[in-house]
Amino acid sequence: MPEEPTTDFEVAVRLAMSWLLSPRTVPLESLGEDAQRIVTAISARVPVPGLDVETQALIDAQRREAAELDKAREIAAYNRAKERAQDIEEHDQRGRVAALVDALLSETLTTDALDDIEELTPVVDGLMYRGTVARINGKPGAMKSFVALDVAGSVGTGIPWAGKEVIQGDVIYLVAEGAAGFKKRVRAWEQEHGGKMIGVHFLPRPIQVASIEWLVLEEACKRLNPAMIIVDTQARATVGIEESSNERMSVIFSRIENLAKESNACVLLIHHTGHVGEHGRGASNVLGAVQTELLVKKEGKGADRIIVIRIDKTKDDDDGQEIRMLPRVVAVNGMIGMSGAQETSVVLALENAAVFGIPGLDPAVSAAVQMLDKHNAPTDLGRDRMRAWLTDRQISIGNSVLAPAISHRKKRDQPTQKPDPPGTPLDAGE
């Protein structure tokens, strides 16, 4: 039976085996490439005795080359698989895009369909709206917090603010700065307006926007459904955040916007201006997230001070307007300082509607007289009956100033009797 012809591979195997049995007979490089590769593969598993240094180096070099070739094959296979995966993903994406085209086109609106869009619900008419972010900027000491507290009191109680109508609703006030002095400010406001600052809930500490607690606040506000959430101040609620970084502040304002959206409240931030200029300190890209931006600044000194509230930005209304308010120092009923004198605080009133103290009267008594006049309180009631009259109307005036205020009004409103001129005849019968 004739023998099968010997293949090149079989020749290479025989040469390799022969060389492995007697490696010193001929140099390895004299064998063919196939035989050399077989020697390298076998010698990696079976030690070959008696190899000289050059032969061992050649075998090591071939091993490295084989490893590099294997690695190259793996990379090529990976790249082919990656390209195939990208082709499949792009194909899938194009399929999804095609399926979403009709949905996207259905969202476009005609001019008539614009009437179906729900309008913003105002909190302060023409100025602040539910579901949006507003901000009050000002230098330290510009009385930003007094303005914010005045807004909070008006929204909580439903009384107009700065001549603008409000829609009454609860207010959550995060007092992140100066919590110790807030009680006095609130009592002064209540005294000035003749009633409790109902509807305003104070949290006397900051909540960090970047923390998990901000999500807790969001859930709490979704339950309470407040009309307004005041964060006083933005800086104290973003400790550790580089406020000049557009990237970092974009994330922060995304959380603030989400709080406004999820709670359907106006989130009002109190913020500082920079050392130069009259704009909010820090990143500029946050302006796009703010529906309304106000600037608070003081003009004049002492008794001539004016608090100017400039409307720097409002997306859907006329900006550039100014609200001018007068700060008035009042004695706070029932709050006595270490010197024994009544504590004082500041209340705000519109410049063209401000009522100042009565000359010669203690400021607290003057405020009580003005409060009684404002509510058309009778002048013929004594202190106890007046107290009952005020209680029925939920008007609060401290006992220490009520009696002198009643006395002043009686004397002021008592009709003066002029004496008869000399020589006037008496009526008959007298």
Side-chain angles (χ1 to χ4, degrees):
M1 186 175 180
E3 294 183 359
E4 293 287 335
T6 303
T7 64
D8 292 342
F9 177 73
E10 290 175 334
V11 172
V13 169
R14 291 176 182 177
L15 287 171
M17 294 301 294
S18 175
W19 187 91
L20 287 168
L21 291 173
S22 301
R24 295 184 179 276
T25 54
V26 294
L28 178 62
E29 58 268 26
S30 66
L31 304 179
E33 290 184 1
D34 289 341
Q36 291 182 40
R37 281 196 290 270
I38 294 170
V39 169
T40 301
I42 294 176
S43 63
R45 295 169 173 80
V46 180
V48 180
L51 291 181
D52 57 49
V53 174
E54 292 182 359
T55 301
Q56 185 64 53
L58 179 60
I59 291 173
D60 292 341
Q62 288 182 333
R63 287 175 182 170
R64 288 193 296 271
E65 181 181 353
E68 291 173 358
L69 287 172
D70 289 342
K71 186 65 175 178
R73 291 189 188 98
E74 289 178 8
I75 294 173
Y78 170 79
N79 288 335
R80 286 194 299 272
K82 183 178 178 181
E83 290 174 1
R84 175 58 179 161
Q86 289 174 340
D87 290 342
I88 294 173
E89 182 179 2
E90 182 176 352
H91 178 75
D92 291 344
Q93 286 179 342
R94 288 185 178 279
R96 289 195 295 269
V97 167
L100 292 172
V101 168
D102 290 340
L104 177 62
L105 292 176
S106 69
E107 293 182 34
T108 61
L109 301 176
T110 64
T111 181
D112 293 331
L114 290 175
D115 293 332
D116 297 330
I117 297 178
E118 186 175 350
E119 296 183 1
L120 290 174
T121 301
V123 177
V124 178
D125 187 37
L127 202 61
M128 300 176 191
Y129 301 87
R130 279 182 173 266
T132 69
V133 179
R135 190 162 74 170
I136 295 177
N137 300 317
K139 293 182 178 180
M143 305 190 77
K144 304 182 295 295
S145 293
F146 284 95
V147 173
L149 182 64
D150 202 37
V151 173
S154 292
V155 174
T157 58
I159 64 175
W161 179 76
K164 297 179 178 293
E165 293 298 319
V166 306
I167 295 181
Q168 191 276 332
D170 285 346
V171 178
I172 308 297
Y173 201 125
L174 275 62
V175 188
E177 287 187 8
F182 244 71
K183 175 183 175 180
K184 187 166 61 173
R185 297 182 185 182
V186 172
R187 295 292 175 261
W189 189 95
E190 291 175 337
Q191 184 175 299
E192 178 71 9
H193 292 83
K196 292 290 185 181
M197 191 184 283
I198 59 173
V200 183
H201 308 272
F202 298 97
L203 184 62
R205 65 178 180 84
I207 291 182
Q208 298 305 311
V209 179
S211 71
I212 187 68
E213 197 175 17
W214 189 261
L215 301 181
V216 176
L217 172 67
E218 184 178 299
E219 288 300 316
C221 290
K222 286 166 67 174
R223 292 187 194 179
L224 292 174
N225 189 32
M228 177 173 283
I229 304 164
I230 299 177
V231 181
D232 188 358
T233 60
Q234 176 186 315
R236 292 298 300 160
T238 56
V239 174
I241 304 298
E242 176 52 59
E243 63 181 13
S244 297
S245 168
N246 283 326
E247 182 179 358
R248 294 298 304 278
M249 292 307 296
S250 291
V251 176
I252 290 297
F253 262 76
S254 176
R255 281 196 152 202
I256 294 171
E257 286 181 290
N258 202 61
L259 173 63
K261 178 182 177 181
E262 292 297 322
S263 63
N264 192 32
C266 173
V267 176
L268 176 60
L269 306 172
I270 313 303
H271 191 43
H272 300 293
T273 54
H275 295 296
V276 180
E278 296 182 335
H279 299 289
R281 190 176 64 193
S284 59
N285 67 342
V286 302
L287 292 176
V290 176
Q291 174 79 23
T292 303
E293 190 158 49
L294 308 177
L295 173 69
V296 176
K297 58 182 181 178
K298 287 192 294 189
E299 293 182 356
K301 295 182 179 180
D304 296 327
R305 284 184 305 171
I306 297 289
I307 304 301
V308 179
I309 306 168
R310 192 177 74 200
I311 305 173
D312 276 354
K313 175 192 175 185
T314 176
K315 284 186 177 180
D316 303 305
D317 297 285
D318 184 25
D319 54 16
Q321 302 178 49
E322 287 186 349
I323 299 169
R324 298 173 66 84
M325 305 190 84
L326 296 175
R328 184 160 64 87
V329 178
V330 297
V332 183
N333 297 336
M335 299 188 71
I336 307 299
M338 294 182 63
S339 65
Q342 281 189 289
E343 296 275 7
T344 61
S345 188
V346 174
V347 294
L348 302 177
L350 275 174
E351 181 183 24
N352 58 3
V355 179
F356 293 97
I358 300 169
L361 284 185
D362 178 272
V365 176
S366 175
V369 170
Q370 292 165 5
M371 185 61 61
L372 293 172
D373 289 344
K374 177 180 177 180
H375 292 280
N376 297 316
T379 57
D380 59 348
L381 301 181
R383 190 185 68 178
D384 292 341
R385 292 174 62 197
M386 181 65 80
R387 170 62 59 205
W389 189 91
L390 293 170
T391 300
D392 289 342
R393 290 158 180 78
Q394 296 184 332
I395 301 171
S396 175
I397 296 179
N399 286 328
S400 62
V401 296
L402 182 57
I406 292 171
S407 176
H408 174 83
R409 294 177 81 238
K410 284 183 177 180
K411 292 178 181 178
R412 181 195 65 188
D413 298 343
Q414 186 177 9
T416 57
Q417 294 182 356
K418 296 182 179 180
D420 293 332
T424 300
L426 297 175
D427 288 341
E430 288 191 358

